[in-house]
Amino acid sequence: MKSLPASHHLPRTPLGPRWRAIAATTWLALALGLAMTSVARPLTAATPAPAVRNIVLVHGAFTDGSIWLPVLTRLQDMGYHVTAVQNPLSALADDVLATERVLQRKTGDVLLVGHSWGGAVITQAGNASNVKGLVYLSALVPDSNESVAGLLQRLNAPMSALTPDAEGLIWLNAEQQFHQVMAADISVKKAQELAAIQQPIAARAFTAKVQHAAWQEKPSWYLQTQHDQALPLSVQKAIAQHIGARVTSIGSSHLSMISHPDEVARLIDWAARSLHH
């Protein structure tokens, strides 16, 4: 605890034992109050109030909107209005449309957040006029007129071990595979739960091109996950540098919103506070 300023020290005038006890108790309460206020990070000139109160979260492949719950609740506790999109994962255009529908229901400006495949989705959907910033979490971020497959080819990082089934859908079949690739830093039990509710993604989604990359005109942030087995850190770094994003790195697996929800929520909060009224 920081010491109080000199003007806030206990008075030096003689006091009786009873009044000395009252004074000491009063100043201790004040000191504790100041300490708690500091922990709560009051809004000051150094921490301006967010210019954007609406947060829209877009999930990636093999998951659904429930993946955001640990982060979503933290953001709600901070006072944000948060919505998690439910992507059908059937095509890039379908996921963009699902996101645009949510954006159209928002009153006021929006900070758009995308994880993994969701990065491609928000790169297109982020062109909506009410989107003021983009946050990418270990995300795939194509350029204009580029697909995710083209992005990975450009970065010499072709997709592997992702074989579609007879209907053209890609799954992570084994619970062990899901745990190792997506979330090695969470418990096996939790990984099994996530694997049980996974949503497959259509292989054709990866070859569809983004028409115009919203990050070319709008500020962006990128969270690099250092222990990622789904999207190598070197690829994440190349993407973040290419789009000119403000970068944060944490020691996390691909599913950082599950294993590090506090850090992810703080990044989104920081991005919202960085935008100007």
Side-chain angles (χ1 to χ4, degrees), residues 95-151:
D95 290 356
V96 170
L97 180 58
T99 303
E100 289 174 340
R101 286 172 177 157
V102 172
L103 293 173
Q104 290 165 6
R105 293 176 57 84
K106 292 295 182 182
T107 301
D109 296 336
V110 176
L111 181 66
L112 192 54
V113 183
H115 171 250
S116 193
W117 159 254
V121 179
I122 72 169
T123 296
Q124 180 62 50
N127 289 295
S129 60
N130 60 341
V131 174
K132 301 305 176 183
L134 306 162
V135 177
Y136 294 100
L137 309 181
S138 48
L140 296 158
V141 190
D143 209 327
S144 297
N145 198 37
E146 185 177 51
S147 66
V148 164
L151 165 70

Side-chain angles (χ1 to χ4, degrees), residues 157-169:
M159 293 182 293
S160 59
L162 295 177
T163 304
D165 63 14
E167 296 184 9
L169 300 176

